[in-house]
Amino acid sequence: EVQLQASGGGLVQAGGSLRLSCAASGFAFDDNSIGWFRQSPGKEQEGVSCLNNTAGSAVYADSVKGRFTISSDNVKNMVYLQMNNLKAEDTAAYYCAAPCTYYVGSYDHFSYKYSGKGTLVTVSS
C-alpha cells in the first residue's frame, strides 16, 4: 500500500520560511518521481514541484521558482519542500504526490497517481 504523509505546515508571516516533509512508503522511492501540489479554497489544484529521483532534476511552478526547493533523502524515503520568502498567495493545503509528472510551459499540467493527506500552510500578510 502506497502511503504519503505530509507534515510541517503552519502559520508564518509573509517573508518567512517553512519546510514541509513527506514520508513515503509502499513503492520504489529511488526509481520514481515525487512532488507536491497545493490547493486553496475555491481554487483549482496547482502543481508546485516534481522531482525526478532517478535523474535528480526538478520542475517548479513559475510562481514558486527561486523561492521553493524540493529535495529527497533516498535512505529515509523522505521528500522535502523548503519554502522561503513566503507570500500570502502561497496559503494552501500542500499535498505530497507520487509518481508525478509536471509540464510547465504554454500550459501547466501536474499529474500523479497517489497522494496523501495535506498539510496546511497559512501565510499572513
Side-chain angles (χ1 to χ4, degrees):
E1 180 189 3
V2 174
Q3 292 192 343
L4 297 160
Q5 182 63 54
S7 61
L11 174 64
V12 63
Q13 288 188 333
S17 298
L18 276 177
R19 187 196 195 206
L20 305 184
S21 300
C22 174
S25 62
F27 65 100
F29 188 86
D30 293 9
D31 296 334
N32 279 279
S33 55
I34 188 165
W36 298 86
F37 68 91
R38 64 187 182 186
Q39 187 153 27
S40 304
K43 293 186 179 180
E44 290 187 358
Q45 180 178 296
E46 178 187 16
V48 175
S49 182
C50 181
L51 172 67
N52 182 320
N53 243 348
T54 302
S57 58
V59 178
Y60 295 93
D62 286 344
S63 59
V64 307
K65 199 174 293 184
R67 300 187 297 122
F68 291 11
T69 303
I70 191 170
S71 62
S72 67
D73 183 329
N74 290 355
V75 174
K76 297 180 179 179
N77 282 12
M78 297 285 294
V79 64
Y80 306 100
L81 186 69
Q82 178 66 43
M83 306 185 295
N84 298 329
N85 190 19
L86 282 160
K87 304 176 181 180
E89 51 263 42
D90 295 319
T91 294
Y94 284 71
Y95 300 83
C96 184
C100 56
T101 59
Y102 196 13
Y103 174 79
V104 177
S106 54
Y107 65 94
D108 292 355
H109 181 69
F110 184 93
S111 63
Y112 60 92
K113 187 171 182 180
Y114 303 103
S115 69
K117 292 183 178 179
T119 185
L120 182 62
V121 173
T122 303
V123 184
S124 63
S125 56

